[in-house]
Amino acid sequence: MIAPGFAGVEAQLWLLLLAMIRPGAAFIAAPVFGAAAVPVQLRIILSMAIGMAALSSVHFTLPADGLASFAGIALIGGEVVAGLSLGFALQIGYSAAFIAGESIANAMGLGFASMVDPLSGNSTAVVGQFLSIIATFLLLAMDGHLLLIRYIIASYQALPPGGGLMPAAVFQSIAAFGGSMFAMGAVIALPVTFTIILVQLVMAMLARTAPSLNLFSVGMPATLLAGLILLAVGAPVMGEAITQALRSSLDMVQTLSGG
């Protein structure tokens, strides 16, 4: 026989589990929170705290047959899709720095130089790793992680649990915004890549005027040196472009959350 004080424990545990789904899915897809170096236990605690606070602000009842029923599975699927959409929208602007880094590394001749990215656990170009570190600092400096949590909580008002999947227009807007990721990456890399192309054109003209010149022994160090100098000179401009990309992503997250 269950004691009267523990009669509603099972329902509270199901609510606790449900509250963790949307923030947890958003943290998996979002930058910084979804990094491989972030302990899973920390993400679970954050998801629990944010989910319970957000779920208490809306009126919600569990399906009559429980979460193991068809209605419960549809409810969980809607929460997962909503969370992944919010986190992925922020990840798009963050990934623009990786695209810019790959473009700059290939133009400098450092496409073969790679290292393990601690955020994703994958191998990436060293320039892309440098720009991703800048993007992480800028995201934290502009309180992007706090804004993401705020928009996750606000999404419960626009799309409460059990309200169905997001409209098709939302996924179309995410796809259209994802297409702009390559444009944002090109804007970030433009100050460096354009100048490196000019340096390579100069080296090509030198090779035509002096055929005996060993282009590989002169062009590679010159391009690499020019790229390093341009990265140091153009860092403020590239930082502003990365900040604009992150702001666009946060605006997209705010639009998806209905805030």
Side-chain angles (χ1 to χ4, degrees):
M1 181 176 180
I2 301 178
F6 296 93
V9 171
E10 183 179 358
Q12 292 296 325
L13 291 176
W14 282 116
L15 284 175
L16 181 63
L17 177 62
L18 180 65
M20 297 168 54
I21 295 177
R22 185 181 301 189
F27 290 157
I28 290 176
V32 181
F33 292 103
V38 178
V40 179
Q41 296 84 349
L42 179 60
R43 286 202 292 264
I44 292 176
I45 294 174
L46 287 176
S47 302
M48 184 187 305
I50 296 170
M52 289 302 296
L55 195 62
S56 61
S57 62
V58 296
H59 178 70
F60 170 74
T61 55
L62 288 171
D65 297 332
L67 295 181
S69 61
F70 178 79
I73 294 175
L75 174 62
I76 294 175
E79 290 295 291
V80 172
V81 171
L84 291 178
S85 300
L86 296 174
F88 183 70
L90 182 59
Q91 183 69 47
I92 290 175
Y94 187 83
S95 299
F98 284 97
I99 296 177
E102 294 288 342
S103 301
I104 295 174
N106 292 330
M108 291 175 58
L110 291 178
F112 59 89
S114 61
M115 61 184 300
V116 177
D117 179 20
L119 294 180
S120 61
N122 299 323
S123 179
T124 182
V126 291
V127 183
Q129 179 64 31
F130 169 69
L131 293 182
S132 68
I133 294 175
I134 294 179
T136 302
F137 287 153
L138 291 175
L139 181 63
L140 297 177
M142 62 192 302
D143 293 335
H145 57 301
L146 300 179
L147 290 175
L148 176 62
I149 295 175
R150 175 183 176 182
Y151 297 149
I152 291 174
I153 297 176
S155 67
Y156 281 82
Q157 300 293 332
L159 187 65
L165 294 176
M166 286 186 167
V170 171
F171 300 102
Q172 293 177 359
S173 61
I174 294 177
F177 183 69
S180 64
M181 176 180 61
F182 298 96
M184 291 187 291
V187 171
I188 297 172
L190 185 61
V192 178
T193 54
F194 180 74
T195 310
I196 291 179
I197 291 175
L198 293 180
V199 173
Q200 292 176 348
L201 289 176
V202 172
M203 298 306 300
M205 289 187 290
L206 288 177
R208 293 289 294 177
T209 56
S212 60
L213 180 65
N214 190 348
L215 185 61
F216 291 99
S217 61
V218 178
M220 180 67 179
T223 304
L224 183 59
L225 180 61
L228 294 176
I229 295 175
L230 290 170
L231 280 176
V233 174
V237 179
M238 297 171 64
E240 293 179 1
I242 294 175
T243 302
Q244 185 61 38
L246 293 175
R247 286 176 179 171
S248 300
S249 296
L250 290 173
D251 292 341
M252 186 64 187
V253 176
Q254 184 180 13
T255 301
L256 294 178
S257 65

